[in-house]
């Protein structure tokens, strides 16, 4: 095992390298680290900006050569406009890198308006902020397009090379929102055209099922007076399916879930072989058949904060409020039982699986 404290992790596409952002105090510089998974040693550490938020791994084609890389997203000083992205394409062993190899540019937002999350797709870097969705050219660092002002954008997912889906839990006044945004290219440009699809209050999670061409959406609902009690005019959490194309998307409410049972951030996992998604809820994990939502069962009978899928197993991270949150648990899908506990230190945030490491 490796003993260090990190607030964000990502694994390289070849499963040999772990990228980590190391903790910081508020408004101080953070550190990004490159770790060799096999030797369990930190190979490089470098400056990653003020108030580091996230690290991701990526792969892209440059001059017909595939490159692996890492990108770090930093919020910057709160109240300033110094949010930044640091990214670099790494060599074959992912270790020979110095700060001078990194590209750096600002997202153009301050700490109160994001940035929130990033992803890299087709040589463009997409960043959600609390102002809009921003699209940067990775080669020129120029802002190519943005859309959707006056909403607080969070997660972003791609369902094709030309269509991205963004969750929009809140509007600019932090009031619950009830739609997701579909950004799609038109003509020959990269400027997105926006189509909003109405679902439940505070959409938190998206999953696109390519075989059936269905977009699955989970919404948190709304406790209007924040008293933690069902008052009749509140809105329950809900599960939706959206069918059709990007222009003619048709949303359908599939099922409402127990009041106040979903938290943000939300980390379900999908067992694609069985067509089941495992959903962390108030004090358990529910398992739901996507083609027969009423055929559901309780998979794990305690509160969790993160799930990750390994073939026939789910890595379960207990919620931070529980006394047993110093271990990860392996849930075996076929037997529907927890078969192993793996000690991971006090107050585990999440566990992710790497295929090159035997557990």
């Amino acid at each position: 095992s490796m003993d260090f404290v990190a607030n964000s992790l990502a694994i390289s596409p070849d499963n040999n390298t772990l990228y980590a952002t190391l903790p910081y105090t508020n408004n101080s510089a953070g550190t990004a680290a490159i770790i060799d998974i096999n030797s369990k040693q930190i190979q490089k550490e470098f400056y990653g900006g003020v108030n580091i938020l996230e690290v991701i791994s990526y792969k892209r084609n440059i001059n017909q050569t595939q490159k692996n890389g890492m990108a770090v997203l930093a919020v910057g000083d709160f109240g300033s406009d110094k949010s930044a992205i640091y990214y670099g394409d790494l060599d074959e062993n992912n270790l020979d890198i110095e700060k001078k190899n990194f590209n750096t540019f600002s997202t153009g937002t301050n700490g109160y308006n994001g940035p929130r999350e990033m992803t890299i797709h087709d040589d463009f870097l997409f960043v959600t902020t609390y102002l809009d969705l921003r699209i940067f050219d990775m080669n020129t660092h120029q802002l190519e397009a943005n859309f959707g002002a006056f909403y607080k954008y969070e997660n972003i997912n791609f369902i094709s090379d030309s269509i991205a889906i963004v969750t929009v839990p809140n509007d600019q006044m932090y009031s619950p929102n009830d739609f997701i945004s579909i950004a799609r290219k038109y003509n020959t440009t990269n400027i997105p055209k926006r189509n909003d699809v109405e679902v439940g209050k505070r959409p938190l999670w998206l999953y696109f099922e390519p075989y059936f061409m269905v977009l699955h959406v989970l919404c948190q609902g709304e406790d209007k007076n924040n008293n933690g009690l069902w008052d009749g005019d509140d809105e329950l959490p809900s599960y939706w399916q959206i069918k059709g194309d990007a222009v003619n998307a048709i949303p359908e409410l599939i099922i409402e879930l127990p009041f106040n049972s979903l938290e943000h951030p939300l980390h379900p996992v999908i067992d694609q072989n069985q067509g089941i998604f495992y959903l962390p809820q108030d004090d358990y994990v529910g398992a739901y058949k996507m083609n027969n939502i009423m055929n559901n069962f309780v998979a794990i009978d305690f509160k969790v904060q993160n799930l990750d899928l390994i073939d026939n197993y789910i890595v379960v991270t207990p919620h931070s409020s529980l006394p047993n949150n110093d271990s990860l648990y392996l849930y075996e899908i076929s037997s529907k039982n927890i078969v192993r506990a793996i000690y991971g230190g006090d107050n585990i945030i999440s566990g992710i699986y790497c295929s090159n490491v035997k557990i």
Side-chain angles (χ1 to χ4, degrees), residues 12 57 61 79 107 269-270 297 301 317 338-339 348:
S12 64
S57 68
N61 291 317
T107 66
V269 293
I270 305 291
F297 58 92
D301 62 358
T317 306
I338 289 177
V339 295
I348 297 175

Side-chain angles (χ1 to χ4, degrees), residues 165-181:
I165 311 292
V166 190
T167 57
V168 194
N170 300 295
D171 65 19
Q172 205 63 16
M173 300 303 294
Y174 289 93
S175 298
N177 191 41
D178 61 357
F179 66 80
I180 63 170
S181 283

Side-chain angles (χ1 to χ4, degrees), residues 41-232:
Q41 297 295 316
I42 293 177
Q43 303 295 317
K44 297 281 184 180
E45 288 188 58
F46 51 89
Y47 174 77
V50 175
N51 290 326
I52 289 181
L53 182 66
E54 179 185 28
V55 61
I56 63 171
S57 68
Y58 64 83
K59 55 184 178 182
R60 63 184 185 129
N61 291 317
I62 301 176
N63 298 324
Q64 299 183 335
T65 301
Q66 182 172 292
K67 292 284 188 178
N68 294 335
M70 66 178 294
V72 177
L73 183 64
V75 174
D77 294 315
F78 285 96
S80 77
D81 60 354
K82 294 182 180 179
S83 59
I85 296 167
Y86 304 84
Y87 76 91
D89 302 318
L90 312 184
D91 71 357
E92 290 182 359
N93 65 19
N94 287 330
L95 299 178
D96 185 18
I97 188 167
E98 301 288 350
K99 183 178 183 295
K100 65 181 184 224
N101 300 115
F102 267 71
N103 298 281
T104 304
F105 61 95
S106 173
T107 66
T109 56
N110 66 46
Y112 299 108
N113 287 321
R116 298 295 298 166
E117 186 174 297
M118 66 177 168
T119 189
I120 290 171
H121 186 82
D122 196 23
D123 259 4
F124 289 90
L125 194 144
F126 295 74
V127 182
T128 56
T129 78
Y130 272 178
L131 294 174
D132 49 23
L133 169 67
R134 302 188 173 200
I135 305 172
F136 296 91
D137 187 313
M138 290 185 67
N139 299 306
T140 67
H141 306 166
Q142 296 300 309
L143 178 66
E144 292 290 319
N146 58 353
F147 83 103
F150 309 119
Y151 292 98
K152 297 192 179 299
Y153 292 86
E154 291 281 356
N155 314 101
I156 180 168
N157 293 270
F158 282 87
I159 64 175
S160 73
D161 284 340
S162 60
I163 301 175
I165 311 292
V166 190
T167 57
V168 194
N170 300 295
D171 65 19
Q172 205 63 16
M173 300 303 294
Y174 289 93
S175 298
N177 191 41
D178 61 357
F179 66 80
I180 63 170
S181 283
I182 301 177
R184 52 192 173 86
K185 296 179 185 177
Y186 64 100
N187 298 331
T188 58
T189 73
N190 293 303
I191 299 174
K193 189 173 182 179
R194 174 180 159 193
N195 180 29
D196 295 334
V197 180
E198 186 173 339
V199 288
K201 293 288 188 183
R202 287 202 173 104
L204 298 181
W205 176 83
L206 304 168
Y207 170 71
F208 180 66
E209 190 179 14
Y211 183 80
F212 294 104
M213 298 294 290
V214 175
L215 181 67
H216 303 266
V217 183
L218 286 165
C219 301
Q220 188 177 27
E222 181 184 11
D223 180 1
K224 290 188 176 180
N225 59 5
N226 295 311
N227 66 352
L229 301 173
W230 173 253
D231 296 319

